Amino acid sequence: MAPYASDDTRGTAPDENPRARRRKAVRYVVPVAVTGVAAATIGLVPALADTGDPDLPKISAQQLVEKIARSDVQRLSGTVKISTDLGLPDLGGLENGLGSGSGGHDGSSADPSSKLTELASGTHTLRVAADGPDKQKLSLRERGAEYSLIHNGKDVWGYDSGSNEVFHGTAEQHGKEREDDRHGTPQDFAENALKAVDDTTSVTVGGTERVAGRDAYKLLIKPKQQGSTVGAVTIAVDAKTGTPLKFTLTAKSGGKPVVDTGFTQVSFAKPAASTFDFTPPKGAKVTEEKDSGKREHAGGPGALFGGAAEGGKVIGKGWTSVATFDTGAKGGMPSGSAGGFLGSLGDQVTGDFGKGTVFSTRLVNALITDDGKVYAGAVTKQTLLKTADAEN
């Protein structure tokens, strides 16, 4: 049977695992900075759905959020299109020198922690499948090659057909990572967008639409606070299952969406068991995770700051909150050609915090001070500098 084919063509399959506890169907890596913005706090403002096409029963925002929370889809397969436009400059070949995209000189091109950083920009098409918490698969096909990430029981496999390289780890090794990382499907974006609830956000129902051939409600999320770079978040929610089918994040400055990810085709039938089978091809180079050294977690734009965010803190509340941490590196931007190039992309600034460089995208502003501190958030440059001044 072909990959992603279904053993069951009867439509939505019931959850046959009584121990399942609302675990989401598919979890994969996506830009940390983007998802962090989506996770900004949400206050619930009841509203009734507008009349639209399709014609669905009226529902309040509170009811729609509860519908998402009750959704327990364990099985699905389909095609997801994801487009990301942070407004990052073209770095040419510099990103390879910084170790992205290839897993480093002693790493594996099949390592998911580096390979999936490609989702941080541009438009990509993914094939996804899930059968409960222990079987998931994602495939990304571009430039004549295919990259697949497969979780089947205790094994986690990454395979890059272009280089014929295989990366192998275990579910135990990836357990914490799979809980902490942010992921690329509409379900996971939506989950992060609805985690925290307070009065900093307006949440309403913005009508209905058809997504991947299914009827859906549109949940509209907007910041109430001034100083945020976020315009709005829209989540298309499957009217029958409560599954988020599409997630769109727009910037306050306008233009095309910063993040637009959604199913173009989806089935809630049980995928064929063979979908999750994997055996390293003959002649493939296999790298075991235990032999690959300390893994560097990829996070798209968030990878600019590596893992240094651990031990940091969050200043402020809701959409204007700013994350800060101390890198321990003094002297501002690194010297050399790479540091000089990166420095040229930012704006030199001064304030009560001292001197530093601000890097700006359509969504995220980040300040790196000369004494090694970092301040970053989905806030305007003025709000960011004001927050940094207040901390000094």
Side-chain angles (χ1 to χ4, degrees):
M1 187 173 292
Y4 300 98
S6 173
D7 288 336
D8 183 353
T9 59
R10 295 172 296 174
T12 302
D15 181 6
E16 297 174 359
N17 182 0
R19 295 176 299 176
R21 299 172 59 186
R22 294 178 49 238
R23 297 180 66 177
K24 298 299 177 181
V26 185
R27 297 183 177 278
Y28 299 108
V29 179
V30 293
V32 168
V34 174
T35 314
V37 173
T41 51
I42 295 172
L44 302 180
V45 180
L48 294 179
D50 297 330
T51 301
D53 185 18
D55 186 14
L56 298 173
K58 303 292 185 180
I59 191 172
S60 71
Q62 178 72 48
Q63 290 170 330
L64 188 52
V65 170
E66 291 173 352
K67 188 178 185 70
I68 297 173
R70 290 193 304 268
S71 178
D72 190 23
V73 171
Q74 296 281 318
R75 296 162 174 165
L76 63 78
S77 61
T79 304
V80 175
K81 182 178 180 180
I82 177 170
S83 297
T84 308
D85 180 16
L86 281 170
L88 294 170
D90 183 1
L91 300 181
L94 181 63
E95 67 273 15
N96 292 329
L98 295 175
S100 66
S102 64
H105 68 281
D106 58 351
S108 168
S109 67
D111 186 341
S113 68
S114 59
K115 186 66 177 180
L116 294 182
T117 57
E118 295 179 12
L119 301 182
S121 63
T123 298
H124 308 271
T125 300
L126 312 175
R127 290 283 293 168
V128 299
D131 185 5
D134 296 324
K135 292 184 178 183
Q136 298 99 31
K137 180 177 181 179
L138 174 151
S139 295
L140 169 66
R141 184 173 180 82
E142 293 184 333
R143 297 184 293 276
E146 182 171 293
Y147 177 76
S148 294
L149 179 61
I150 305 108
H151 170 214
N152 190 352
K154 65 180 181 64
D155 293 306
V156 176
W157 298 95
Y159 175 59
D160 183 358
S161 69
S163 63
N164 198 28
E165 291 192 33
V166 175
F167 187 88
H168 178 239
T170 67
E172 288 76 14
Q173 289 170 311
H174 283 252
K176 185 177 185 300
E177 177 182 326
R178 285 169 49 220
E179 287 296 325
D180 294 344
D181 282 343
R182 301 298 182 247
H183 316 289
T185 62
Q187 302 101 302
D188 291 303
F189 273 113
E191 181 183 3
N192 284 290
L194 296 170
K195 274 185 175 178
V197 176
D198 67 18
D199 58 357
T200 65
T201 307
S202 166
V203 179
T204 59
V205 180
T208 63
E209 64 178 320
R210 294 274 292 178
V211 178
R214 298 183 66 89
D215 294 348
Y217 293 102
K218 291 191 294 185
L219 190 68
L220 183 62
I221 302 169
K222 289 185 176 181
K224 290 181 179 179
Q225 297 166 301
Q226 298 298 315
S228 173
T229 55
V230 177
V233 171
T234 303
I235 303 171
V237 183
D238 185 63
K240 183 176 181 180
T241 67
T243 304
L245 299 175
K246 186 177 181 181
F247 177 98
T248 304
L249 171 64
T250 58
K252 186 174 291 185
S253 59
K256 62 182 180 180
V258 176
V259 177
D260 191 17
T261 179
F263 285 97
T264 58
Q265 180 275 326
V266 65
S267 169
F268 296 108
K270 177 183 174 68
S274 59
T275 299
F276 311 101
D277 292 339
F278 180 78
T279 300
K282 184 178 180 180
K285 176 186 175 183
V286 179
T287 300
E288 293 290 337
E289 182 165 9
K290 66 179 183 296
D291 299 328
S292 64
K294 183 177 180 181
R295 301 180 69 230
E296 303 227 352
H297 295 283
L304 173 65
F305 310 116
E310 291 186 13
K313 65 177 181 178
V314 176
I315 306 169
K317 176 183 179 183
W319 298 85
T320 56
S321 61
V322 172
T324 182
F325 55 92
D326 194 336
T327 67
K330 307 300 180 182
M333 296 300 300
S335 59
S337 59
F341 177 75
L342 290 174
S344 70
L345 300 177
D347 298 326
Q348 305 304 307
V349 293
T350 60
D352 293 343
F353 54 82
K355 296 181 180 180
T357 306
V358 172
F359 297 91
S360 299
T361 70
R362 296 177 59 210
L363 196 69
V364 177
N365 279 288
L367 165 66
I368 302 178
T369 67
D370 283 0
D371 62 358
K373 293 181 180 178
V374 174
Y375 300 85
V379 297
T380 63
K381 178 180 176 180
Q382 293 76 13
T383 300
L384 183 69
L385 296 178
K386 183 178 179 180
T387 300
D389 278 340
E391 286 294 295
N392 292 275

